[in-house]
């Protein structure tokens, strides 16, 4: 009997998989525990629609990430930092500060964990990598002044 799994089942498959199992196993174990449904026309059409919706959502997220990456390439974030007489910072510029200044100066919200950088302890101009999606990477141009 062909069934569609509603949850992950050990040694059988993952949620959404179409598998073939014995009739007794399906009727006595999978169906009573609501782990699977019979793979009839309606269930197969529903599975197909859910997969198409999932792919559409992923494509839309990628599109938004690409647009944000293009927007990030055109802006420059300026941060003022204070330093001692020897030119060393009292603290360091972190990804949290960069994300906050990006939101304050340009209205672009980026999660600080997506900005890959080491703490910066010197004045200058930097280009930081931002991982917006699995294969979409943007750049933030950062200028640290005194």
């Amino acid at each position: 009997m062909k069934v569609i799994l509603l949850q992950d089942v050990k040694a059988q498959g993952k949620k959404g998989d179409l598998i073939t199992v014995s009739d007794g196993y399906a009727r006595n174990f999978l169906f009573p525990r609501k782990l699977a449904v019979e793979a009839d026309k309606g269930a197969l059409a529903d599975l197909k629609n859910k997969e198409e919706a999932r792919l559409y959502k992923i494509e839309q997220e990628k599109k938004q990430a690409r647009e944000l990456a293009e927007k990030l390439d055109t802006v420059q974030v300026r941060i003022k930092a204070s330093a001692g007489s020897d030119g060393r910072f009292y603290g360091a510029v972190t990804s949290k500060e960069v994300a906050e200044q990006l939101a304050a100066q340009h209205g672009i919200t980026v999660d600080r964990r997506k900005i890959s950088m080491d703490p910066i302890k010197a004045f200058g101009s930097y280009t930081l990598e931002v991982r917006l999606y699995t294969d979409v990477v943007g750049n933030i141009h950062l200028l640290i002044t005194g």
Side-chain angles (χ1 to χ4, degrees), residues 85-136:
S85 60
D86 60 351
R88 290 177 44 102
F89 286 175
Y90 291 124
V93 176
T94 61
S95 59
K96 180 181 176 188
E97 289 179 70
V98 173
E100 289 172 354
Q101 289 300 319
L102 182 65
Q105 294 174 16
H106 302 287
I108 301 172
T109 305
V110 175
D111 187 9
R112 67 175 178 81
R113 293 171 291 211
K114 294 185 177 190
I115 301 172
S116 59
M117 64 177 279
D118 293 326
I120 299 172
K121 298 184 179 187
F123 295 112
S125 179
Y126 299 91
T127 301
L128 306 176
E129 206 173 73
V130 182
R131 299 200 179 279
L132 299 168
Y133 206 75
T134 52
D135 56 345
V136 179

Side-chain angles (χ1 to χ4, degrees), residues 72-95:
L72 283 175
D73 283 337
T74 63
V75 299
Q76 183 178 35
V77 178
R78 295 174 187 265
I79 296 180
K80 286 193 173 233
S82 56
S85 60
D86 60 351
R88 290 177 44 102
F89 286 175
Y90 291 124
V93 176
T94 61
S95 59

Side-chain angles (χ1 to χ4, degrees), residues 28-93:
N28 297 324
F29 183 78
L30 296 176
F31 295 160
R33 289 176 175 79
K34 300 200 185 329
L35 297 174
V37 293
E38 188 173 355
D40 56 2
K41 286 183 181 180
L44 288 173
D46 189 41
L47 179 67
K48 181 182 174 191
N49 288 339
K50 284 182 182 179
E51 181 64 19
E52 287 175 358
R54 186 183 70 82
L55 292 175
Y56 178 76
K57 182 181 176 190
I58 288 172
E59 194 59 40
Q60 291 300 314
E61 289 173 353
K62 280 185 181 182
K63 181 181 174 188
Q64 289 175 347
R66 282 189 215 104
E67 290 172 359
L68 183 58
E70 290 174 9
K71 192 173 182 182
L72 283 175
D73 283 337
T74 63
V75 299
Q76 183 178 35
V77 178
R78 295 174 187 265
I79 296 180
K80 286 193 173 233
S82 56
S85 60
D86 60 351
R88 290 177 44 102
F89 286 175
Y90 291 124
V93 176

